[in-house]
Amino acid sequence: MLGKVASLLQRVGPSASHNAFLTRCFLHGSLLRIHPSVSEALASQEPVVALESTIITHGMPYPHNLRTAQEVEGIVRASGATPATVGVLGGRVHVGLSEEELCFLARSEAPLKVSRRDLPYALSQGLSGGTTVSATMTAAHRAGIPVFVTGGVGGVHRGGESTMDVSADLTELGRTPVAVVSAGVKSILDIGRTLEYLETQGVCVATFGSSRDFPAFFAPRSGFVSPYNVKDEREAAALIASALALGLGSGVLIAVPIPEEQAAVGQEIEEAIQRALTESREKGITGREVTPFVLKRVSELTQGKSLEANMALIRNNAAVGSGIARALVTLRQEGQTPSTRRERQTDQASAVVIGGINVDFIAKVKQEKLVMGQTNPGSVGQSFGGVGRNLADCLTRLGAQPLFISALGVDALSESALSYCTHMNTSGVARLQDHSTATYCAVITEKGELGVGVGDMDIHQRITEQYVSRFEERLATASLVCLDGNIPVSTIDYVCGIASKHRVPVWFEPTNVDKACKPFLSDSWKALSFFSPNLAELRAVNQALGLPVPAAVPSSLDDVLGSALALSRPLLEHLRCVVVTLGPHGVLLCGDAEGGAVSLQGAEYKHQPGGRLCGVHYPAIPISAGDIVNVSGAGDSLAAGLMAGMLQGQDSDTCVKMGLLAADMSLRSRDPVSPALSSTSVSPEQVRARRWPPVTWQWPG
């Protein structure tokens, strides 16, 4: 290691201070570092704008490069966003640079120009350099930053149909879901072929403003048109939100014309470019030599005006891009992507789910019994779970579109999880730099029963009261808030306090026996409306409340139902309904008997001392052991299906049966929540079309 550091310093030097600075960078840790200001902004769901650094290392001489970088970052901050300049320092990709780091890049004598292809070499050799558009997009995506501002993007070079000289920026736009805000493409490039290539790559291109004219960097009109235009920052944000929600995997290019006050200078520069191009042809300059010749000649012909105009373009792009980033955050907080806006105008729109998200590794053995201490033959698969995530996923697929509040690390697993969850409103999911994404490993027997599970869930403790309070307005106006048992007790207490104050119904979904008691450690539980434990969790809650619990655990179904109703009774002094999940035996709905049913509706519910408590048992949909693929999300699907029915205003019988349909579909799926779930496959119409086993009523003794 010390030898590698020494050779690194010999390569880079010129000064001792630079050498010491690089040593600190190289020894600090992993290959990706997110600046604390950027990490905090991302975790707080505040707007962040990525910026490239080749303009610092290769675009301008010192000190103009440093001054421009500082100015652009200042514009981003003044516009209400956090700047995240990307660079490579000492073999690490930095997303967000300190003043010291900016100065280091600006004064470097021979920095590397780092494109996507150069990243592995630069990092493996401990080098430093400025990141191009393609490398900056890669880093921004890894960090979870959806908006990136630059001067202009590369393109197809003139004669590119013969030389195959095509900028890596274009292929990066085709495979990385980041929105790039730029002044279009310089006219020294083949703009027509560039737009054709972007179309081939599946990149959505739109001009910013009232016209579809595609800008040519210094010129507001290139003679070509974009497929679309967006009139303002909010329209641009809506376009980006739709692209991200679709999960296409490609980027968006927002082309911003040069400001009107710079148009005259821009025209002069454009004329110089055309003159330089003519001279290059006359001199027989071709291929890769054309661009450097033209750039040098333009600077000579304009006597430095091209540098000033370049800086003005970048400042304008920074202001526009920051506004787009701010509008995108607002859209996400409102949950108003175009594909869901109409649905979110209903009462269903205000549902909120707070809980865990994790990456699941599910192993199913091929024999009846799990043998400990040796390898069991079977199959292993990866999926995405977490009780909160499962609930939000299922509700989303059933049309409810809840806001999901959770926490993830900044790692490869989090990227996979977010990519899988693009159909959900994950604007409430924090990205935390120094924490690992939660993981869960389950071993399931041939019969579909859980044999053993291991979880690394520490990050769920970062779903704190302070973080959740950022969404207080949404919580106060929600039609339903659902909590899972993974979140801290203090967060549960805070949400219950908000719910009690604003009369918002709260559903608590426990995750295991230990976590089931969290709301019941104080009077917070009295603010709950719904609770969905299994029998073991229900017994634990009664014990936590100091209530007597029979020593013997019932075995027959009749005894289980009787015990569940008896244990639910003290909770129903304050809760509207206790939904006791019974695994293969279905579900027991416990509450006040109103009009021949246990009612789930009505915000102003209060248990009447003279009211008659009852339980309604709904048997599960029959399924053979061989058809069970994954049991990890069935209970969550049951609860979410039931909630979806409630949010639609359905009667209790329909709600429960929608939950049973959702659970049955998820049991048959490789994923915890079946991707086949929809408002069509789980609906009142499907409930009415199916023959159901009769329900039975239970009355307390």
Side-chain angles (χ1 to χ4, degrees):
M1 169 63 82
L2 294 178
K4 188 172 183 180
V5 174
S7 63
L8 163 67
L9 298 181
Q10 290 171 3
R11 282 197 301 272
V12 175
S15 70
S17 61
H18 277 198
N19 289 349
F21 173 70
L22 271 177
T23 302
R24 293 198 304 274
C25 285
F26 189 77
L27 295 176
H28 195 282
S30 66
L31 299 179
L32 176 68
R33 176 188 178 274
I34 300 179
H35 192 276
S37 65
V38 176
S39 181
E40 182 178 345
L42 290 171
S44 302
Q45 302 297 314
E46 295 171 358
V48 177
V49 173
L51 303 167
E52 54 136 310
S53 53
T54 49
I55 192 172
I56 303 172
T57 57
H58 294 79
M60 299 177 185
Y62 181 84
H64 297 290
N65 55 354
L66 178 60
R67 187 165 59 247
T68 299
Q70 292 169 333
E71 271 188 64
V72 171
E73 287 201 346
I75 290 169
V76 173
R77 291 190 185 95
S79 301
T82 297
T85 302
V86 177
V88 176
L89 292 93
R92 299 178 72 203
V93 177
H94 287 238
V95 180
L97 300 178
S98 66
E99 281 294 315
E100 184 184 14
E101 290 162 345
L102 281 175
C103 289
F104 171 78
L105 283 181
R107 301 185 67 166
S108 295
E109 293 185 356
L112 189 67
K113 189 174 185 179
V114 184
S115 184
R116 167 191 268 261
R117 70 162 190 183
D118 309 302
L119 282 169
Y121 182 77
L123 270 57
S124 67
Q125 296 296 311
L127 301 177
S128 299
T131 52
T132 65
V133 168
S134 64
T136 305
M137 287 183 71
T138 300
H141 177 54
R142 292 287 183 187
I145 302 172
V147 178
F148 160 39
V149 166
T150 185
V153 296
V156 178
H157 288 251
R158 292 174 183 260
E161 69 277 14
S162 301
T163 64
M164 299 300 291
D165 190 358
V166 179
S167 170
D169 298 352
L170 304 188
T171 50
E172 199 65 42
L173 275 161
R175 62 187 169 197
T176 302
V178 170
V180 178
V181 179
S182 81
V185 177
K186 289 180 180 177
S187 59
I188 60 174
L189 301 171
D190 190 328
I191 296 177
R193 284 191 170 90
T194 297
L195 289 172
E196 289 288 347
Y197 194 90
L198 287 170
E199 179 185 356
T200 301
Q201 292 292 311
V203 179
C204 184
V205 179
T207 299
F208 185 83
S210 58
S211 168
R212 288 202 297 129
D213 289 323
F214 186 80
F217 204 70
F218 294 120
R221 288 170 291 278
S222 64
F224 298 91
V225 295
S226 297
Y228 311 104
N229 70 296
V230 286
K231 296 178 182 177
D232 53 29
E233 288 86 351
R234 191 171 180 87
E235 278 197 12
L239 174 64
I240 295 166
S242 294
L244 294 174
L246 285 169
L248 299 176
S250 53
V252 173
L253 178 62
I254 305 294
V256 183
I258 187 173
E260 285 297 326
E261 58 270 23
Q262 293 290 328
V265 176
Q267 183 58 38
E268 182 181 343
I269 297 169
E270 183 61 27
E271 291 172 0
I273 290 173
Q274 296 306 319
R275 179 176 168 181
L277 285 170
T278 300
E279 290 180 8
S280 71
R281 287 192 293 270
E282 291 173 349
K283 292 177 180 293
I285 298 172
T286 59
R288 297 177 183 272
E289 302 301 320
V290 172
T291 298
F293 171 83
V294 170
L295 291 176
K296 180 181 179 182
R297 188 69 180 120
V298 168
S299 181
E300 295 170 351
L301 291 170
T302 61
Q303 298 179 342
K305 289 182 181 179
S306 61
L307 177 61
E308 295 175 10
N310 196 359
M311 293 171 67
L313 279 173
I314 295 166
R315 294 188 198 102
N316 183 60
N317 291 350
V320 172
S322 300
I324 293 172
R326 205 170 57 247
L328 182 59
V329 167
T330 300
L331 276 178
R332 285 176 163 180
Q333 290 174 345
E334 294 173 351
Q336 290 185 348
T337 60
S339 62
T340 62
R341 189 174 296 135
R342 288 188 297 274
E343 294 175 12
R344 293 176 190 274
Q345 291 172 346
T346 69
D347 287 340
Q348 295 182 48
S350 56
V352 177
V353 178
I354 308 174
I357 176 172
N358 44 265
V359 180
D360 291 340
F361 298 93
I362 307 298
K364 185 174 183 180
V365 299
K366 295 180 178 179
Q367 53 200 32
E368 186 174 345
K369 291 184 178 181
L370 178 65
V371 181
M372 306 303 292
Q374 69 178 49
T375 300
N376 292 259
S379 59
V380 181
Q382 177 184 313
S383 59
F384 301 96
V387 172
R389 195 219 69 86
N390 291 348
L391 292 168
D393 185 357
C394 187
L395 283 168
T396 300
R397 295 182 188 279
L398 299 183
Q401 299 293 339
L403 168 67
F404 179 43
I405 300 174
S406 189
L408 284 170
V410 181
D411 49 32
L413 290 177
S414 68
E415 294 295 334
S416 298
L418 287 175
S419 296
Y420 183 80
C421 297
T422 51
H423 61 292
M424 297 161 52
N425 180 2
T426 57
S427 61
V429 178
R431 302 290 300 279
L432 305 180
Q433 170 66 19
D434 296 318
H435 295 81
S436 299
T437 296
T439 53
Y440 173 71
C441 180
V443 180
I444 298 171
T445 67
E446 187 182 34
K447 292 183 177 180
E449 299 170 346
L450 178 64
V452 65
V454 179
D456 175 7
M457 309 289 185
D458 290 348
I459 195 171
H460 295 156
Q461 298 311 302
R462 306 303 300 172
I463 310 173
T464 61
E465 172 186 350
Q466 289 75 19
Y467 177 68
V468 173
S469 67
R470 300 175 187 274
F471 306 92
E472 182 169 330
E473 185 177 345
R474 288 293 302 270
L475 295 170
T477 58
S479 57
L480 178 67
V481 174
C482 182
L483 310 175
D484 84 12
N486 286 306
I487 63 178
V489 172
S490 58
T491 305
I492 294 173
D493 292 344
Y494 165 75
V495 174
C496 286
I498 295 295
S500 179
K501 179 180 178 181
H502 297 280
R503 298 180 179 179
V504 175
V506 179
W507 183 300
F508 180 63
E509 179 75 9
T511 58
N512 59 38
V513 171
D514 294 332
K515 297 174 182 178
C517 300
K518 286 184 176 181
F520 300 89
L521 300 177
S522 68
D523 282 344
S524 292
W525 73 274
K526 296 178 181 177
L528 301 178
S529 300
F530 307 97
F531 179 42
S532 49
N534 59 30
L535 186 59
E537 292 160 348
L538 187 56
R539 288 169 60 88
V541 165
N542 274 258
Q543 290 173 332
L545 292 173
L547 300 172
V549 175
V553 177
S555 55
S556 71
L557 178 58
D558 287 342
D559 289 342
V560 167
L561 297 176
S563 177
L565 181 57
L567 293 170
S568 298
R569 188 169 189 171
L571 307 185
L572 292 168
E573 294 296 322
H574 296 279
L575 276 63
R576 168 173 283 278
C577 183
V578 176
V579 182
V580 186
T581 57
L582 305 171
H585 297 299
V587 62
L588 181 69
L589 207 64
C590 302
D592 274 352
E594 298 179 10
V598 174
S599 177
L600 298 172
Q601 306 291 348
E604 300 298 325
Y605 169 79
K606 182 70 176 178
H607 172 66
Q608 301 300 319
R612 192 175 186 193
L613 297 176
C614 71
V616 185
H617 175 229
Y618 289 83
I621 297 173
I623 180 172
S624 66
D627 290 332
I628 296 174
V629 179
N630 190 342
V631 299
S632 64
D636 303 332
S637 297
L638 169 68
L642 200 156
M643 282 184 252
M646 289 168 48
L647 292 168
Q648 295 173 17
Q650 303 295 334
D651 61 79
S652 300
D653 185 73
T654 300
C655 290
V656 176
K657 290 175 180 176
M658 286 176 63
L660 291 170
L661 281 173
D664 181 70
M665 291 180 66
S666 291
L667 283 171
R668 302 172 189 270
S669 171
R670 288 186 175 274
D671 298 283
V673 174
S674 172
L677 288 171
S678 69
S679 56
T680 302
S681 62
V682 176
S683 65
E685 292 74 22
Q686 289 294 327
V687 168
R688 289 191 289 270
R690 178 182 284 268
R691 292 179 63 88
W692 294 89
V695 302
T696 56
W697 289 73
Q698 304 289 320
W699 303 94

